[in-house]
Amino acid sequence: MKTYYQERAPVYDRVYHYPERQNDLRFLEDFVARQFAGLNVLEIAAGTGYWTQFIARKAHTVLATDATREVLNQLEARELPASVATEVIDAFALNNLSQTFAGAFAGLWLSHVPKQSLRQFFSGLHNRLLPGARVTFIDNTAVQCQRLPITDEDKFGNTYQDRLLDNGITYKVLKNFPTREELLELVDTIAIEPQHTELDNFWLFTYRTTIVK
Ligand SMILES: C[S@@+](CC[C@H](N)C(=O)[O-])C[C@H]1O[C@@H](n2cnc3c(N)ncnc32)[C@H](O)[C@@H]1O
């Protein structure tokens, strides 16, 4: 998946121009700006920084992280305030960060996490968060499959799509569609006030952390 997103970096933002997504996007852009006002925010798998630009409007600081430098170069090419820093870090190695954060965000990331690795990811994330931290995830609803049908499934129940890039190469990309119930169960020991909102093209999952273990 890292190679796929490295190759796709220059044209990644096309997905934010699809007409059917525009209403949801305006709502979510405003939501993330308000959600993180005044906070030090960790952004995981930030990619080209589409969401970073809205979070950074009101956040105190944003550390935008991703596994590959190529996408973070695109992020840095945006006009972003000095409060945004970047760091190449794997989402499964967040323990390597020395800072703790009062906010965390990931857009279109959980859908790429293998089901068998979700608990590991959440555990690493929650380790880096202060008590009461605000956490937000945004991702695609299954409507996205109208553009990219599921072509395969593995023994863990992970589903896959064939993604054709401009270089003519087709990549098999893991893409899951976690349900509200699955998300609630993953954070049930740490989340207070969890809320799941299903829009037409995206879902939004937010909660605050209790005491970090
Ligand atoms: C679907 S893109 C989402 C980008 C951005 N958050 C957005 O919503 O526009 C997924 C991102 O995950 C990154 N990625 C893939 N594997 C990763 C990993 N193990 N750790 C951190 N980032 C990873 C890719 O480089 C890519 O930027």
Side-chain angles (χ1 to χ4, degrees), residues 1-2 5 12 16 45-47 50-51 66-68 71 89-92 107-109 112:
M1 188 169 90
K2 291 180 196 170
Y5 279 108
Y12 178 80
Y16 293 114
Y50 183 81
W51 299 104
D66 199 280
T68 66
V71 293
I89 187 154
D90 194 287
F92 298 100
L108 284 69
W109 162 245
H112 292 298

Side-chain angles (χ1 to χ4, degrees), residues 15 26-27 50 67 70 74 91 98 100 113 115 117-118 141 148 153 155 165-166 171 189 204 209-210:
V15 294
R26 297 299 89 76
F27 170 81
Y50 183 81
E70 284 80 356
Q74 302 271 324
S98 53
T100 48
V113 179
K115 286 175 187 275
S117 306
L118 279 164
T141 63
L148 292 165
E153 183 168 343
K155 64 176 181 178
L165 288 187
D166 291 356
Y171 293 81
T189 57
L204 169 68
T209 57
T210 54

